Amino acid sequence: MRIPMVGLLLATAIGTSALAADKRPPLPTYTQAYTPTTVDERGIWMEADERERAQRDSRSLVKDPALNAYVRGVLCRTVGEDRCRSVRLYIDEVPAFNAFMTPNGAMVVWTGLLLRVRNEAELGAILGHEFGHFELRHSLKDFKSHRAGTDLMAWASILVRNSGDIRYAMVGQMYAFSRDQEREADMTGFQYLARSQYPSSAAADVWEHVMGEADATAIGRRGRAQHKYVAGVFATHPTDLARATYLRAASIEAHDVKPAAVDTHQAAMAKWLPIFLNDQIKLNDFGGSEYLLATLADGTGWTTSLLCARGDLYRERGNPRDLVSAAQFYQEAVGKGDAPPEAYRGLGLALLRSQRVAKGQAALANYLRLKPAATDAALIAKLIS
């Protein structure tokens, strides 16, 4: 009698476990080699094909095979190998937090996103969100929603006197539809992440960092940090606070404790980090850039690349005390023994502007010695002389 009872208990446990698994929202039905079926969809795909050709030939395209392989690997590990095969990936050198996917299967990842995510899981959270838009055919639904809304507004303006309220309501409906799609893609991306090797909590982590950077940017520009849970009528996305909140709640409910895996994000970014940091410094966003550098240093410590970028950031702002700080950061970078020639250049310029002429000229001389063919060699030589 004991054996059947144990079997019954096991069956009950397995059944309960399966029921718990079934409570997770299902993923969209996967369709291999999807082909557009309607006139609207074929038209949207043609436009997307044209934009993809321009993207493919863009001078800002990052073609590094290793970096492309890394990003694709994270995507495949997030959404699964089958779904991943349908994606053509492009990395665009744009220093802002963004990625998007077009309805024909082209995914574009901006380098500002790669700079901001701290690990593979956070990158997977964003890539899964974008793939969710693609798999749920959001572009087509959004197109139909806008066409229906604008058609109704046109007829209202003809048939209804004082139709302003109707048109205002329709515009609001179109933006609300867009926000609903973003929320749906957030939760679909979350489901990919929860089923992958990555912790689903990374999805909320991303938006908390986005809010932190936005706060730092506002304070750096003498503004005030503002966070709202409810988006405005004309907002196309839920607020960052709302996204962080509902994604955090979902991760707590999922409770997907997973073994720690080897994370290759820092290694994959090592070659490109100085370039992406240089792009970030040019944005003239002192508060946001300082926040970003500190966040990166939390994971790796103050590396040579981060110290050089911080020196550039302070030197570009150029207050007297900034120049003193910049010189210190460059000197710390030089002290590590693997600083690029540009660290001496930045150090020399910061010292010259701080009226420390002899030391500044000596640093610039070192720059020319290490990089005699630099494009600005003639200008630097004049500064020394």
Side-chain angles (χ1 to χ4, degrees):
M1 289 297 290
R2 293 182 61 185
I3 294 176
M5 180 60 72
V6 170
L8 179 61
L9 290 173
L10 283 173
T12 303
I14 293 170
T16 305
S17 175
L19 183 62
D22 289 340
K23 288 182 179 178
R24 295 189 304 185
L27 291 175
T29 303
Y30 172 60
T31 304
Q32 193 173 22
Y34 177 81
T35 303
T37 56
T38 66
V39 173
D40 289 340
E41 201 166 13
R42 284 194 290 272
I44 292 173
W45 277 51
M46 287 177 63
E47 291 181 359
D49 287 343
E50 186 61 34
R51 287 197 298 271
E52 184 179 353
R53 278 191 285 271
Q55 180 70 59
R56 182 195 59 194
D57 299 332
S58 170
R59 296 179 63 183
S60 60
L61 190 68
V62 178
K63 299 178 180 178
D64 179 20
L67 188 63
N68 278 269
Y70 162 69
V71 176
R72 174 170 289 280
V74 173
L75 172 65
C76 294
R77 289 190 287 276
T78 302
V79 304
E81 291 289 342
D82 286 345
R83 286 179 163 85
C84 189
R85 291 193 195 100
S86 61
V87 178
R88 297 177 303 285
L89 180 71
Y90 302 93
I91 300 176
D92 203 357
E93 190 176 352
V94 182
F97 178 85
N98 195 25
F100 59 90
M101 192 159 182
T102 56
N104 66 340
M107 176 178 284
V108 181
V109 178
W110 288 4
T111 51
L113 167 64
L114 299 179
L115 182 63
R116 282 165 173 79
V117 293
R118 299 178 303 168
N119 49 51
E120 292 185 15
E122 291 185 0
L123 178 58
I126 300 300
L127 301 184
H129 166 95
E130 298 304 330
F131 190 85
H133 278 309
F134 166 70
E135 194 157 53
L136 295 169
R137 309 281 179 258
H138 277 172
S139 296
L140 176 64
K141 294 174 183 175
D142 194 51
F143 171 76
K144 288 182 175 178
S145 169
H146 275 71
R147 185 175 61 187
T150 53
D151 285 352
L152 184 58
M153 285 191 290
W155 281 110
S157 65
I158 296 171
L159 301 175
V160 181
R161 180 178 294 179
N162 298 326
S163 62
D165 289 345
I166 296 176
R167 284 180 287 172
Y168 183 82
M170 287 309 305
V171 171
Q173 279 295 108
M174 285 189 284
Y175 281 100
F177 186 80
S178 177
R179 292 194 296 274
D180 288 343
Q181 285 192 328
E182 291 296 329
R183 195 173 294 106
E184 187 178 27
D186 276 342
M187 298 315 300
T188 303
F190 177 87
Q191 291 302 327
Y192 294 135
L193 203 64
R195 287 167 167 81
S196 75
Q197 69 183 59
Y198 301 125
S200 61
S201 57
D205 293 343
V206 170
W207 294 107
E208 289 174 359
H209 288 304
V210 168
M211 286 192 292
E213 184 180 339
D215 289 351
T217 296
I219 293 169
R221 292 173 177 166
R222 301 183 180 181
R224 189 173 59 179
Q226 292 183 342
H227 295 298
K228 298 178 181 178
Y229 190 80
V230 179
V233 174
F234 301 117
T236 57
H237 291 62
T239 66
D240 297 340
L241 176 59
R243 303 175 94 165
T245 302
Y246 61 65
L247 288 169
R248 180 67 67 199
S251 70
I252 293 172
E253 184 178 356
H255 192 58
D256 57 343
V257 179
K258 298 171 182 173
V262 176
D263 194 292
T264 62
H265 182 74
Q266 302 300 337
M269 287 287 292
K271 174 184 173 183
W272 289 92
L273 186 62
I275 298 169
F276 297 164
L277 286 172
N278 188 48
D279 292 340
Q280 171 67 28
I281 300 304
K282 291 176 182 175
L283 294 178
N284 194 26
D285 175 9
F286 184 89
S289 298
E290 177 75 338
Y291 173 88
L292 181 57
L293 289 170
T295 302
L296 294 171
D298 280 344
T300 63
W302 284 101
T303 63
T304 301
S305 295
L306 295 179
L307 285 168
C308 288
R310 200 177 189 192
D312 291 342
L313 178 67
Y314 278 72
R315 181 171 59 82
E316 289 291 333
R317 192 168 71 168
N319 291 326
R321 64 180 183 280
D322 290 334
L323 296 174
V324 174
S325 298
Q328 291 175 349
F329 298 141
Y330 288 127
Q331 285 166 338
E332 286 182 46
V334 169
K336 288 183 176 292
D338 59 347
E342 285 75 13
Y344 290 94
R345 178 183 181 277
L347 174 61
L349 293 175
L351 290 173
L352 282 182
R353 292 176 65 187
S354 298
Q355 309 305 316
R356 300 164 68 183
V357 177
K359 290 186 176 180
Q361 289 176 329
L364 291 176
N366 271 328
Y367 168 62
L368 292 183
R369 178 178 58 82
L370 295 170
K371 197 172 182 178
T375 56
D376 60 351
L379 179 61
I380 296 298
K382 283 188 178 180
L383 284 175
I384 295 175
S385 64

mmCIF file of all heavy atoms in Angstrom, residues 259-293:
data_model
loop_
_atom_site.group_PDB
_atom_site.id
_atom_site.type_symbol
_atom_site.label_atom_id
_atom_site.label_comp_id
_atom_site.label_asym_id
_atom_site.label_seq_id
_atom_site.Cartn_x
_atom_site.Cartn_y
_atom_site.Cartn_z
ATOM 1 N N PRO A 259 21.258 29.256 -11.339
ATOM 2 C CA PRO A 259 22.690 29.248 -11.016
ATOM 3 C C PRO A 259 23.419 30.339 -11.794
ATOM 4 O O PRO A 259 23.066 30.660 -12.931
ATOM 5 C CB PRO A 259 23.130 27.850 -11.457
ATOM 6 C CG PRO A 259 22.111 27.412 -12.452
ATOM 7 C CD PRO A 259 20.814 28.034 -12.028
ATOM 8 N N ALA A 260 24.422 30.926 -11.137
ATOM 9 C CA ALA A 260 25.196 31.983 -11.791
ATOM 10 C C ALA A 260 25.956 31.409 -12.987
ATOM 11 O O ALA A 260 26.555 30.336 -12.899
ATOM 12 C CB ALA A 260 26.176 32.596 -10.798
ATOM 13 N N ALA A 261 25.888 32.107 -14.090
ATOM 14 C CA ALA A 261 26.586 31.672 -15.307
ATOM 15 C C ALA A 261 27.726 32.642 -15.606
ATOM 16 O O ALA A 261 27.730 33.784 -15.133
ATOM 17 C CB ALA A 261 25.616 31.619 -16.483
ATOM 18 N N VAL A 262 28.689 32.170 -16.375
ATOM 19 C CA VAL A 262 29.801 33.039 -16.769
ATOM 20 C C VAL A 262 29.267 34.160 -17.640
ATOM 21 O O VAL A 262 28.563 33.914 -18.618
ATOM 22 C CB VAL A 262 30.862 32.225 -17.538
ATOM 23 C CG1 VAL A 262 31.968 33.146 -18.038
ATOM 24 C CG2 VAL A 262 31.436 31.139 -16.646
ATOM 25 N N ASP A 263 29.553 35.392 -17.243
ATOM 26 C CA ASP A 263 29.049 36.544 -17.990
ATOM 27 C C ASP A 263 30.196 37.140 -18.797
ATOM 28 O O ASP A 263 31.236 37.490 -18.254
ATOM 29 C CB ASP A 263 28.487 37.590 -17.019
ATOM 30 C CG ASP A 263 27.650 38.633 -17.733
ATOM 31 O OD1 ASP A 263 28.229 39.426 -18.515
ATOM 32 O OD2 ASP A 263 26.433 38.640 -17.541
ATOM 33 N N THR A 264 30.007 37.271 -20.109
ATOM 34 C CA THR A 264 31.083 37.709 -20.995
ATOM 35 C C THR A 264 30.909 39.155 -21.456
ATOM 36 O O THR A 264 31.603 39.587 -22.378
ATOM 37 C CB THR A 264 31.151 36.787 -22.224
ATOM 38 O OG1 THR A 264 29.908 36.870 -22.947
ATOM 39 C CG2 THR A 264 31.397 35.345 -21.822
ATOM 40 N N HIS A 265 29.999 39.883 -20.825
ATOM 41 C CA HIS A 265 29.704 41.236 -21.335
ATOM 42 C C HIS A 265 30.934 42.145 -21.280
ATOM 43 O O HIS A 265 31.251 42.825 -22.262
ATOM 44 C CB HIS A 265 28.550 41.846 -20.537
ATOM 45 C CG HIS A 265 28.155 43.214 -21.027
ATOM 46 N ND1 HIS A 265 27.454 43.403 -22.193
ATOM 47 C CD2 HIS A 265 28.413 44.453 -20.536
ATOM 48 C CE1 HIS A 265 27.266 44.698 -22.391
ATOM 49 N NE2 HIS A 265 27.836 45.360 -21.401
ATOM 50 N N GLN A 266 31.612 42.174 -20.136
ATOM 51 C CA GLN A 266 32.765 43.067 -19.995
ATOM 52 C C GLN A 266 33.860 42.703 -20.997
ATOM 53 O O GLN A 266 34.483 43.586 -21.591
ATOM 54 C CB GLN A 266 33.308 42.993 -18.561
ATOM 55 C CG GLN A 266 32.290 43.362 -17.489
ATOM 56 C CD GLN A 266 31.768 44.773 -17.645
ATOM 57 O OE1 GLN A 266 32.427 45.622 -18.250
ATOM 58 N NE2 GLN A 266 30.586 45.031 -17.122
ATOM 59 N N ALA A 267 34.093 41.413 -21.180
ATOM 60 C CA ALA A 267 35.133 40.985 -22.127
ATOM 61 C C ALA A 267 34.754 41.361 -23.559
ATOM 62 O O ALA A 267 35.607 41.811 -24.342
ATOM 63 C CB ALA A 267 35.345 39.469 -22.017
ATOM 64 N N ALA A 268 33.480 41.203 -23.903
ATOM 65 C CA ALA A 268 33.040 41.532 -25.264
ATOM 66 C C ALA A 268 33.138 43.030 -25.537
ATOM 67 O O ALA A 268 33.353 43.449 -26.675
ATOM 68 C CB ALA A 268 31.604 41.054 -25.466
ATOM 69 N N MET A 269 32.972 43.821 -24.490
ATOM 70 C CA MET A 269 32.979 45.276 -24.662
ATOM 71 C C MET A 269 34.369 45.885 -24.560
ATOM 72 O O MET A 269 34.551 47.075 -24.881
ATOM 73 C CB MET A 269 32.075 45.900 -23.582
ATOM 74 C CG MET A 269 30.590 45.698 -23.823
ATOM 75 S SD MET A 269 30.013 46.746 -25.166
ATOM 76 C CE MET A 269 30.192 48.349 -24.407
ATOM 77 N N ALA A 270 35.359 45.138 -24.112
ATOM 78 C CA ALA A 270 36.667 45.715 -23.786
ATOM 79 C C ALA A 270 37.266 46.501 -24.955
ATOM 80 O O ALA A 270 37.760 47.617 -24.772
ATOM 81 C CB ALA A 270 37.611 44.598 -23.348
ATOM 82 N N LYS A 271 37.229 45.934 -26.140
ATOM 83 C CA LYS A 271 37.840 46.589 -27.303
ATOM 84 C C LYS A 271 37.124 47.896 -27.656
ATOM 85 O O LYS A 271 37.749 48.872 -28.078
ATOM 86 C CB LYS A 271 37.795 45.622 -28.497
ATOM 87 C CG LYS A 271 38.257 46.223 -29.813
ATOM 88 C CD LYS A 271 38.084 45.219 -30.943
ATOM 89 C CE LYS A 271 38.368 45.856 -32.305
ATOM 90 N NZ LYS A 271 38.123 44.900 -33.406
ATOM 91 N N TRP A 272 35.807 47.901 -27.477
ATOM 92 C CA TRP A 272 35.004 49.037 -27.935
ATOM 93 C C TRP A 272 34.698 50.062 -26.849
ATOM 94 O O TRP A 272 34.195 51.144 -27.145
ATOM 95 C CB TRP A 272 33.684 48.516 -28.525
ATOM 96 C CG TRP A 272 33.896 47.828 -29.820
ATOM 97 C CD1 TRP A 272 34.115 46.503 -30.032
ATOM 98 C CD2 TRP A 272 33.948 48.450 -31.115
ATOM 99 N NE1 TRP A 272 34.299 46.244 -31.355
ATOM 100 C CE2 TRP A 272 34.194 47.427 -32.047
ATOM 101 C CE3 TRP A 272 33.814 49.753 -31.556
ATOM 102 C CZ2 TRP A 272 34.308 47.680 -33.409
ATOM 103 C CZ3 TRP A 272 33.925 50.014 -32.913
ATOM 104 C CH2 TRP A 272 34.173 48.988 -33.829
ATOM 105 N N LEU A 273 34.997 49.727 -25.606
ATOM 106 C CA LEU A 273 34.624 50.622 -24.516
ATOM 107 C C LEU A 273 35.199 52.037 -24.668
ATOM 108 O O LEU A 273 34.458 53.015 -24.514
ATOM 109 C CB LEU A 273 35.052 50.000 -23.181
ATOM 110 C CG LEU A 273 34.594 50.755 -21.931
ATOM 111 C CD1 LEU A 273 33.081 50.801 -21.857
ATOM 112 C CD2 LEU A 273 35.164 50.090 -20.672
ATOM 113 N N PRO A 274 36.501 52.203 -24.974
ATOM 114 C CA PRO A 274 37.016 53.579 -25.128
ATOM 115 C C PRO A 274 36.285 54.364 -26.218
ATOM 116 O O PRO A 274 36.057 55.573 -26.066
ATOM 117 C CB PRO A 274 38.494 53.364 -25.483
ATOM 118 C CG PRO A 274 38.820 52.000 -24.972
ATOM 119 C CD PRO A 274 37.572 51.196 -25.141
ATOM 120 N N ILE A 275 35.919 53.695 -27.306
ATOM 121 C CA ILE A 275 35.233 54.386 -28.407
ATOM 122 C C ILE A 275 33.823 54.796 -27.982
ATOM 123 O O ILE A 275 33.391 55.937 -28.210
ATOM 124 C CB ILE A 275 35.183 53.470 -29.644
ATOM 125 C CG1 ILE A 275 36.610 53.157 -30.116
ATOM 126 C CG2 ILE A 275 34.364 54.095 -30.766
ATOM 127 C CD1 ILE A 275 36.689 52.056 -31.162
ATOM 128 N N PHE A 276 33.101 53.881 -27.354
ATOM 129 C CA PHE A 276 31.730 54.201 -26.935
ATOM 130 C C PHE A 276 31.730 55.256 -25.831
ATOM 131 O O PHE A 276 30.823 56.103 -25.771
ATOM 132 C CB PHE A 276 31.019 52.937 -26.452
ATOM 133 C CG PHE A 276 30.852 51.880 -27.522
ATOM 134 C CD1 PHE A 276 30.539 50.566 -27.187
ATOM 135 C CD2 PHE A 276 30.998 52.200 -28.861
ATOM 136 C CE1 PHE A 276 30.382 49.602 -28.168
ATOM 137 C CE2 PHE A 276 30.853 51.234 -29.855
ATOM 138 C CZ PHE A 276 30.550 49.932 -29.502
ATOM 139 N N LEU A 277 32.730 55.217 -24.959
ATOM 140 C CA LEU A 277 32.824 56.252 -23.913
ATOM 141 C C LEU A 277 33.109 57.611 -24.538
ATOM 142 O O LEU A 277 32.547 58.637 -24.115
ATOM 143 C CB LEU A 277 33.923 55.885 -22.918
ATOM 144 C CG LEU A 277 33.604 54.744 -21.952
ATOM 145 C CD1 LEU A 277 34.846 54.364 -21.149
ATOM 146 C CD2 LEU A 277 32.471 55.143 -21.006
ATOM 147 N N ASN A 278 33.978 57.636 -25.542
ATOM 148 C CA ASN A 278 34.280 58.900 -26.219
ATOM 149 C C ASN A 278 33.017 59.479 -26.864
ATOM 150 O O ASN A 278 32.773 60.695 -26.811
ATOM 151 C CB ASN A 278 35.366 58.666 -27.276
ATOM 152 C CG ASN A 278 35.862 59.952 -27.886
ATOM 153 O OD1 ASN A 278 36.186 60.902 -27.187
ATOM 154 N ND2 ASN A 278 35.926 59.998 -29.209
ATOM 155 N N ASP A 279 32.203 58.606 -27.470
ATOM 156 C CA ASP A 279 30.929 59.071 -28.039
ATOM 157 C C ASP A 279 30.030 59.650 -26.947
ATOM 158 O O ASP A 279 29.339 60.650 -27.161
ATOM 159 C CB ASP A 279 30.202 57.900 -28.719
ATOM 160 C CG ASP A 279 30.932 57.408 -29.960
ATOM 161 O OD1 ASP A 279 31.746 58.166 -30.509
ATOM 162 O OD2 ASP A 279 30.683 56.262 -30.371
ATOM 163 N N GLN A 280 30.017 59.005 -25.791
ATOM 164 C CA GLN A 280 29.167 59.462 -24.696
ATOM 165 C C GLN A 280 29.617 60.842 -24.192
ATOM 166 O O GLN A 280 28.796 61.728 -23.941
ATOM 167 C CB GLN A 280 29.212 58.444 -23.544
ATOM 168 C CG GLN A 280 28.537 58.895 -22.262
ATOM 169 C CD GLN A 280 27.037 59.047 -22.388
ATOM 170 O OE1 GLN A 280 26.416 58.371 -23.206
ATOM 171 N NE2 GLN A 280 26.460 59.939 -21.590
ATOM 172 N N ILE A 281 30.928 61.049 -24.049
ATOM 173 C CA ILE A 281 31.443 62.323 -23.536
ATOM 174 C C ILE A 281 31.031 63.470 -24.457
ATOM 175 O O ILE A 281 30.756 64.585 -23.996
ATOM 176 C CB ILE A 281 32.981 62.266 -23.410
ATOM 177 C CG1 ILE A 281 33.399 61.137 -22.454
ATOM 178 C CG2 ILE A 281 33.532 63.603 -22.926
ATOM 179 C CD1 ILE A 281 32.795 61.218 -21.085
ATOM 180 N N LYS A 282 30.954 63.209 -25.750
ATOM 181 C CA LYS A 282 30.598 64.262 -26.715
ATOM 182 C C LYS A 282 29.147 64.703 -26.599
ATOM 183 O O LYS A 282 28.740 65.682 -27.223
ATOM 184 C CB LYS A 282 30.868 63.760 -28.144
ATOM 185 C CG LYS A 282 32.351 63.595 -28.459
ATOM 186 C CD LYS A 282 32.539 63.013 -29.844
ATOM 187 C CE LYS A 282 34.030 62.809 -30.152
ATOM 188 N NZ LYS A 282 34.227 62.125 -31.466
ATOM 189 N N LEU A 283 28.328 63.983 -25.829
ATOM 190 C CA LEU A 283 26.920 64.359 -25.683
ATOM 191 C C LEU A 283 26.736 65.593 -24.809
ATOM 192 O O LEU A 283 25.622 66.119 -24.695
ATOM 193 C CB LEU A 283 26.118 63.190 -25.083
ATOM 194 C CG LEU A 283 25.997 61.938 -25.945
ATOM 195 C CD1 LEU A 283 25.215 60.865 -25.203
ATOM 196 C CD2 LEU A 283 25.323 62.250 -27.278
ATOM 197 N N ASN A 284 27.807 66.049 -24.144
ATOM 198 C CA ASN A 284 27.728 67.227 -23.276
ATOM 199 C C ASN A 284 26.679 67.030 -22.177
ATOM 200 O O ASN A 284 25.891 67.915 -21.892
ATOM 201 C CB ASN A 284 27.397 68.475 -24.112
ATOM 202 C CG ASN A 284 27.631 69.754 -23.342
ATOM 203 O OD1 ASN A 284 28.452 69.791 -22.414
ATOM 204 N ND2 ASN A 284 26.899 70.804 -23.675
ATOM 205 N N ASP A 285 26.689 65.862 -21.602
ATOM 206 C CA ASP A 285 25.765 65.521 -20.506
ATOM 207 C C ASP A 285 26.625 65.122 -19.304
ATOM 208 O O ASP A 285 26.875 63.936 -19.072
ATOM 209 C CB ASP A 285 24.850 64.373 -20.949
ATOM 210 C CG ASP A 285 23.933 63.876 -19.823
ATOM 211 O OD1 ASP A 285 23.881 64.530 -18.753
ATOM 212 O OD2 ASP A 285 23.279 62.838 -20.016
ATOM 213 N N PHE A 286 27.074 66.139 -18.553
ATOM 214 C CA PHE A 286 28.033 65.864 -17.485
ATOM 215 C C PHE A 286 27.432 64.948 -16.421
ATOM 216 O O PHE A 286 28.034 63.941 -16.030
ATOM 217 C CB PHE A 286 28.501 67.177 -16.834
ATOM 218 C CG PHE A 286 29.565 66.961 -15.798
ATOM 219 C CD1 PHE A 286 30.903 66.964 -16.152
ATOM 220 C CD2 PHE A 286 29.235 66.743 -14.464
ATOM 221 C CE1 PHE A 286 31.893 66.743 -15.218
ATOM 222 C CE2 PHE A 286 30.221 66.523 -13.515
ATOM 223 C CZ PHE A 286 31.551 66.528 -13.890
ATOM 224 N N GLY A 287 26.238 65.278 -15.936
ATOM 225 C CA GLY A 287 25.631 64.493 -14.858
ATOM 226 C C GLY A 287 25.371 63.052 -15.273
ATOM 227 O O GLY A 287 25.712 62.110 -14.538
ATOM 228 N N GLY A 288 24.764 62.877 -16.452
ATOM 229 C CA GLY A 288 24.457 61.528 -16.919
ATOM 230 C C GLY A 288 25.714 60.720 -17.185
ATOM 231 O O GLY A 288 25.790 59.527 -16.862
ATOM 232 N N SER A 289 26.736 61.370 -17.766
ATOM 233 C CA SER A 289 27.974 60.648 -18.073
ATOM 234 C C SER A 289 28.702 60.255 -16.796
ATOM 235 O O SER A 289 29.273 59.156 -16.710
ATOM 236 C CB SER A 289 28.882 61.523 -18.950
ATOM 237 O OG SER A 289 28.258 61.809 -20.184
ATOM 238 N N GLU A 290 28.712 61.157 -15.811
ATOM 239 C CA GLU A 290 29.363 60.831 -14.533
ATOM 240 C C GLU A 290 28.652 59.654 -13.858
ATOM 241 O O GLU A 290 29.300 58.756 -13.311
ATOM 242 C CB GLU A 290 29.349 62.070 -13.622
ATOM 243 C CG GLU A 290 29.919 61.859 -12.228
ATOM 244 C CD GLU A 290 31.446 61.767 -12.198
ATOM 245 O OE1 GLU A 290 32.048 61.450 -13.232
ATOM 246 O OE2 GLU A 290 32.018 61.984 -11.121
ATOM 247 N N TYR A 291 27.316 59.648 -13.913
ATOM 248 C CA TYR A 291 26.549 58.530 -13.348
ATOM 249 C C TYR A 291 26.904 57.226 -14.073
ATOM 250 O O TYR A 291 27.129 56.186 -13.450
ATOM 251 C CB TYR A 291 25.055 58.813 -13.477
ATOM 252 C CG TYR A 291 24.178 57.644 -13.074
ATOM 253 C CD1 TYR A 291 23.782 57.479 -11.746
ATOM 254 C CD2 TYR A 291 23.750 56.711 -14.014
ATOM 255 C CE1 TYR A 291 22.997 56.411 -11.362
ATOM 256 C CE2 TYR A 291 22.968 55.631 -13.638
ATOM 257 C CZ TYR A 291 22.590 55.493 -12.314
ATOM 258 O OH TYR A 291 21.809 54.413 -11.945
ATOM 259 N N LEU A 292 26.971 57.309 -15.400
ATOM 260 C CA LEU A 292 27.264 56.117 -16.182
ATOM 261 C C LEU A 292 28.656 55.570 -15.875
ATOM 262 O O LEU A 292 28.847 54.358 -15.703
ATOM 263 C CB LEU A 292 27.133 56.457 -17.668
ATOM 264 C CG LEU A 292 27.378 55.338 -18.671
ATOM 265 C CD1 LEU A 292 26.454 54.165 -18.407
ATOM 266 C CD2 LEU A 292 27.189 55.863 -20.086
ATOM 267 N N LEU A 293 29.642 56.461 -15.784
ATOM 268 C CA LEU A 293 31.006 56.020 -15.477
ATOM 269 C C LEU A 293 31.068 55.363 -14.096
ATOM 270 O O LEU A 293 31.720 54.327 -13.913
ATOM 271 C CB LEU A 293 31.960 57.209 -15.535
ATOM 272 C CG LEU A 293 32.243 57.774 -16.938
ATOM 273 C CD1 LEU A 293 33.008 59.089 -16.851
ATOM 274 C CD2 LEU A 293 33.027 56.765 -17.764
#
